[in-house]
Amino acid sequence: MSGVHILAIESSCDETSASVISNGRILSNVIYTQKIHEQYGGVVPEHASRLHIRHILPVVQEAMSQSGIALEELNAIAYTQAPGLIGSLIVGSTFAKGLAWSLNIPTLAIHHMKAHVLANLIEKPDIPFPFLCLTVSGGHTQIVQVDSPYELKVIGETIDDAAGEAFDKSAKMLGLPYPGGPLIDHHASNGNPKRFVFAKPQIEGLNFSFSGVKTSILYFLQAELKKDDQFIANNLNDLCASIQYTIVKILITKLKKAVKETGIHTIALAGGVSANKGLRSSLTLEAQKQHWQLHIPSFEYCTDNAAMIAMAAHYAYLNEEFASDEQSANARGSF
Ligand code: KG4
Ligand code: ZN
């Protein structure tokens, strides 16, 4: 097949994923999610690296096979450079470099957060620029102004916990297993979101803060449990609905502020928290009210996946942004 074919690898946290993109079209997106971390209540970096080592080869083989592209037809190999768990990143980057070296083709070092944003172009290649992207995941919360695939600017971000972290930590306080975000969402459907009121930190500008919400929930639960040790069990749905309402309200308030400040009315969403039903319905409602054009990618492209790395790699390749030999995994990186 003629054109530009790129294999992309994502291994920044607890998903081992590989994808093939051909002339800007995703041909495969294979994702292996590590389940071992559930029993520890969070991602254990050492386990994550070991499981990436075990699964990277079969995942890449499956992505290549589904794409119908032969290894010899690849023009480049992309990998997530940053941010992420350093051991996990090293597995993906060294695999990509080794394979690229054996095929005598270049590598592309991709920034994970940039890729989350550009995932919006997978299903909507004609999304109009500029747009604002609300990226909400377990590790990050950002508002990004996207002027083109090459001009992305973080205009707001969390100064402490990420939105997904706020969901997961709140869920832990309620005794729910990790990751608790989807469970809060589930119980919230049958609860009253206005029943309990939690603090919403007032942060200047477009930045977010979620640690105050967490403390407010903790103190509230401690006080109520002293009076009634069955308080959580008896009020689980209302607690989940109220926690979700608080987190979503913080996100939407800042997004509205960003729209006002930039005058940009095209809004996109990225990251695993975008699966949250409360966030989706509030955003949809707000978009109708404020005449925003709203784009929400399929869930497969919202959580960690290699298709988003492939999409970002497609543009990096066109711009000849090839990785140098020294460029390797980097736990933080810059946007
Ligand atoms: O983007 P992601 O898959 O991984 C990274 O963190 O990069 O996001 C995972 C996060 C977790 O914190 C998880 O609890 C949260 O997304 N999440 C949700 C929902 N589904 C996933 N949070 C709230 N409601 C959901 N339905
Ligand atoms: Zn991510």
Side-chain angles (χ1 to χ4, degrees):
M1 219 189 283
S2 65
V4 178
H5 314 300
I6 303 168
L7 165 68
I9 292 166
E10 152 66 26
S11 69
S12 63
C13 192
D14 55 347
E15 261 92 21
T16 317
S17 181
S19 167
V20 176
I21 191 166
S22 180
N23 303 320
R25 206 165 59 86
I26 296 296
L27 298 182
S28 60
N29 183 33
V30 177
I31 306 170
Y32 169 76
T33 301
Q34 305 174 353
K35 291 280 179 208
I36 194 171
H37 309 289
E38 283 171 13
Q39 60 187 284
Y40 300 104
V43 178
V44 182
E46 182 63 25
H47 280 307
S49 322
R50 284 165 192 259
L51 284 172
H52 284 306
I53 290 173
R54 191 175 304 163
H55 292 281
I56 195 159
L57 187 57
V59 164
V60 166
Q61 281 172 331
E62 182 59 24
M64 289 305 301
S65 144
Q66 284 184 16
S67 76
I69 301 283
L71 275 179
E72 296 69 33
E73 290 180 279
L74 291 175
N75 297 88
I77 301 183
Y79 59 91
T80 304
Q81 188 199 15
L85 301 170
I86 190 66
S88 294
L89 289 165
I90 285 173
V91 177
S93 69
T94 48
F95 185 95
K97 277 165 180 280
L99 185 56
W101 188 75
S102 76
L103 296 167
N104 197 23
I105 54 175
T107 54
L108 299 152
I110 304 298
H111 193 281
H112 181 86
M113 298 313 294
K114 192 173 173 177
H116 264 305
V117 174
L118 296 181
N120 279 282
L121 302 179
I122 296 174
E123 294 162 298
K124 301 242 172 98
D126 299 325
I127 188 168
F129 295 102
F131 66 85
L132 294 180
C133 184
L134 176 67
T135 309
V136 274
S137 72
H140 301 272
T141 300
Q142 295 182 328
I143 299 177
V144 182
Q145 180 174 331
V146 191
D147 292 326
S148 81
Y150 302 106
E151 296 161 289
L152 292 86
K153 195 166 58 189
V154 178
I155 58 172
E157 63 189 331
T158 183
I159 57 165
D160 40 57
D161 292 349
E165 214 174 344
F167 270 109
D168 295 341
K169 286 180 177 171
S170 306
K172 200 169 181 178
M173 290 185 230
L174 299 177
L176 299 172
Y178 175 87
L183 295 167
I184 292 206
D185 191 358
H186 173 75
H187 291 292
S189 312
N190 300 313
N192 174 3
K194 302 274 177 74
R195 167 95 185 277
F196 305 112
V197 178
F198 301 114
K200 294 183 204 67
Q202 303 300 316
I203 305 292
E204 292 274 306
L206 296 176
N207 283 343
F208 303 91
S209 168
F210 292 99
S211 72
V213 181
K214 197 178 56 188
T215 313
S216 159
I217 296 167
L218 178 69
Y219 288 164
F220 173 76
L221 289 177
Q222 281 174 344
E224 292 300 324
L225 285 169
K226 262 190 206 150
K227 292 181 257 168
D228 168 12
D229 64 2
Q230 290 305 303
F231 178 76
I232 292 177
N234 292 336
N235 298 281
L236 188 60
N237 292 344
D238 289 346
L239 281 166
C240 288
S242 303
I243 289 168
Q244 179 168 295
Y245 176 83
T246 309
I247 296 172
V248 169
K249 184 92 183 165
I250 293 172
L251 292 170
I252 304 263
T253 303
K254 287 293 165 141
L255 189 60
K256 274 167 76 176
K257 197 167 176 251
V259 169
K260 202 166 165 208
E261 284 185 14
T262 60
I264 298 170
H265 288 79
T266 304
I267 310 296
L269 205 54
V273 182
S274 61
N276 185 266
K277 291 194 282 294
L279 177 61
R280 280 174 176 250
S281 60
S282 299
L283 258 180
T284 308
L285 209 69
E286 206 59 48
Q288 280 164 358
K289 249 187 0 205
Q290 314 276 348
H291 304 290
W292 297 345
Q293 203 190 94
L294 181 65
H295 301 273
I296 306 181
S298 302
F299 189 56
E300 171 188 8
Y301 302 128
C302 284
T303 53
D304 285 351
N305 69 90
M308 68 182 196
I309 304 298
M311 196 70 239
H314 167 74
Y315 286 102
Y317 186 92
L318 294 182
N319 217 23
E320 298 183 10
E321 296 166 12
F322 300 115
S324 65
D325 283 350
E326 304 82 51
Q327 211 164 4
S328 191
N330 175 340
R332 297 180 69 80
S334 56
F335 209 65

